[in-house]
C-alpha cells in the first residue's frame, strides 16, 4: 500500500474503478488499520461518481429487476444482483463515513473500516453465487439511491441516523422476508443463498449497533438529552424523506433491539409505517 495516511487511502478506495480493486483496497485498509496515521486537517474532497457507474448501467429504481419469482436461474440472478448491488454500495457508505467526518475518536474510524470490510465479504459471497449461475455484477441495471443519500447527507448526526440506523436497519426487517421467499423456492443454490442471508443478518445487527453507539455519541456532542433522542431520530428521517420499502410490512423487533433501538423508537416507526400504509 503506497500511503499509510488513512484519509487519502480511503479516498482512493472510494474512487476505485472496478469492484475487484475496491474490494482489495478495502480489505488492505482493514488489515493494515493499526499502521495508519490520521491527518485530520487534510481537505475533505467531494465524490464524483460511484465505482459501479464504470461498469453498471444506471436506471430508475422502478426498472431494476428484483427477481420477484425464484423459478429460473435468471430470476435468482436478478435477486442476487440486486442484493449484491446493495452490499457493494454499502462498502462506499462505510468508507465514506470513515473518510468524511474528522476529529473523532480512533474507534470511530476503526468501526467504519471494519463495517466496510464486512460489506466486502457480503458482496463477494453474493457475487460468487451469481457467478455460479453464469452471471456477474454489472450484468443488470442498478440504481444510485444509496450513493445519492450518502452524498446529500454530510452532517454526522444525520448521516448516522439516516444510513446505519435508517437504511441499513431496513435490511434487518427485510432479511426474514427474503429468507422466506428463498425457502419457498426449489432452486439448486437455495441452501447457499440462505446461508449468505443469515451471515449478512448477523453482521448487519453489528453494523446497526455501531450506528447506535455513534448516534448517541453525536447526540452528546450536540447536547441532545437522552429523552429527546427518539424524537430527534424520527425528525431526521422525516427531514430526508425516508420511506420504508413495501417488504417492511413488519419490523424485525428482536434484531432491532439487539442493534440498540429503543422500544420507543420501534413504536414510533411502526406507527409511521401503519400511517403510510393506511392513509386517511
Amino acid at each position: 500500500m503506497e500511503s499509510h495516511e488513512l484519509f487519502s487511502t480511503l479516498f482512493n478506495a472510494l474512487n476505485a474503478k472496478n469492484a475487484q480493486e475496491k474490494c482489495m483496497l478495502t480489505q488492505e485498509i482493514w488489515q493494515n488499520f493499526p499502521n495508519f496515521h490520521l491527518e485530520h486537517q487534510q481537505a475533505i474532497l467531494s465524490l464524483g461518481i460511484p465505482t459501479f457507474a464504470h461498469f453498471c448501467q444506471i436506471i430508475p429504481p422502478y426498472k431494476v429487476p428484483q427477481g420477484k419469482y425464484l423459478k429460473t436461474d435468471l430470476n435468482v440472478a436478478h435477486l442476487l444482483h440486486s442484493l449484491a448491488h446493495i452490499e457493494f454500495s454499502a462498502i462506499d457508505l462505510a468508507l465514506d463515513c470513515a473518510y468524511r467526518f474528522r476529529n473523532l475518536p480512533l474507534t470511530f474510524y476503526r468501526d467504519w473500516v471494519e463495517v466496510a470490510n464486512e460489506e466486502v465479504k457480503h458482496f463477494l459471497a453474493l457475487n460468487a453465487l451469481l457467478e455460479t449461475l453464469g452471471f456477474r455484477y454489472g450484468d443488470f441495471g442498478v440504481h444510485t439511491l444509496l450513493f445519492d443519500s450518502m452524498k446529500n447527507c454530510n452532517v454526522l448526526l444525520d448521516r448516522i441516523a439516516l444510513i446505519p440506523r435508517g437504511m441499513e436497519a431496513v435490511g434487518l426487517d427485510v432479511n426474514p422476508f427474503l429468507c422466506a421467499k428463498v425457502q419457498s423456492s426449489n432452486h439448486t443454490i437455495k441452501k447457499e443463498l440462505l446461508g449468505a442471508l443469515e451471515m449478512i443478518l448477523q453482521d448487519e445487527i453489528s453494523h446497526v449497533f455501531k450506528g447506535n453507539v455513534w448516534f448517541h455519541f453525536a447526540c452528546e456532542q450536540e447536547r441532545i438529552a437522552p429523552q429527546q433522542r427518539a424524537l430527534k431520530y424520527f425528525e431526521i428521517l422525516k427531514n430526508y424523506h425516508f420511506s420504508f420499502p413495501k417488504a417492511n410490512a413488519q419490523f424485525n423487533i428482536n434484531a432491532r433491539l439487539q442493534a440498540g433501538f429503543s422500544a420507543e423508537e420501534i413504536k414510533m416507526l411502526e406507527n409511521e409505517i401503519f400511517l403510510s400504509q393506511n392513509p386517511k
Side-chain angles (χ1 to χ4, degrees), residues 2 34 38 75 77 86 91 94 151 179 181-182 205-206 214 245 276:
E2 293 181 6
L38 286 70
N75 296 151
I86 291 171
I91 301 170
K151 286 194 69 173
C179 286
K181 181 176 179 177
V182 174
I205 290 173
S206 169
W214 294 109
S276 66

Side-chain angles (χ1 to χ4, degrees), residues 94-166:
L95 290 175
D96 188 74
C97 197
Y99 171 75
R100 197 151 303 281
F101 301 104
R102 305 292 170 85
N103 299 300
L104 294 165
L106 182 63
T107 49
F108 176 87
Y109 304 103
R110 187 185 188 281
D111 276 354
W112 296 113
V113 170
E114 182 177 28
V115 169
N117 185 65
E118 290 177 344
E119 302 293 10
V120 168
K121 178 179 67 171
H122 301 167
F123 168 74
L124 292 176
L126 292 167
N127 194 49
L129 290 176
L130 191 59
E131 289 180 348
T132 66
L133 301 180
F135 300 90
R136 63 179 181 176
Y137 183 48
D139 281 351
F140 308 112
V142 300
H143 61 73
T144 61
L145 287 176
L146 294 175
F147 185 82
D148 294 341
S149 296
M150 177 184 78
K151 286 194 69 173
N152 296 330
C153 186
N154 292 319
V155 175
L156 177 62
L157 181 61
D158 293 9
R159 172 71 73 90
I160 298 297
L162 183 66
I163 303 297
R165 295 193 95 233

Side-chain angles (χ1 to χ4, degrees), residues 200-260:
I200 289 170
L201 176 63
Q202 294 309 312
D203 284 347
E204 299 295 354
I205 290 173
S206 169
H207 299 177
V208 179
F209 186 82
K210 287 180 171 68
N212 183 65
V213 169
W214 294 109
F215 175 76
H216 289 291
F217 174 89
C219 284
E220 290 284 349
Q221 283 194 319
E222 297 195 17
R223 299 183 178 181
I224 300 170
Q227 61 269 27
Q228 295 297 318
R229 292 175 188 175
L231 284 172
K232 183 63 178 177
Y233 168 65
F234 198 62
E235 176 188 311
I236 292 169
L237 294 187
K238 280 187 167 293
N239 285 344
Y240 286 89
H241 308 290
F242 181 84
S243 61
F244 290 91
K246 291 180 180 179
N248 258 76
Q250 190 170 356
F251 278 108
N252 189 342
I253 293 176
N254 183 50
R256 281 184 175 260
L257 289 172
Q258 288 182 63

Side-chain angles (χ1 to χ4, degrees), residues 164-175:
R165 295 193 95 233
M167 295 179 176
E168 203 161 0
V170 162
L172 305 182
D173 307 324
V174 175
N175 191 287

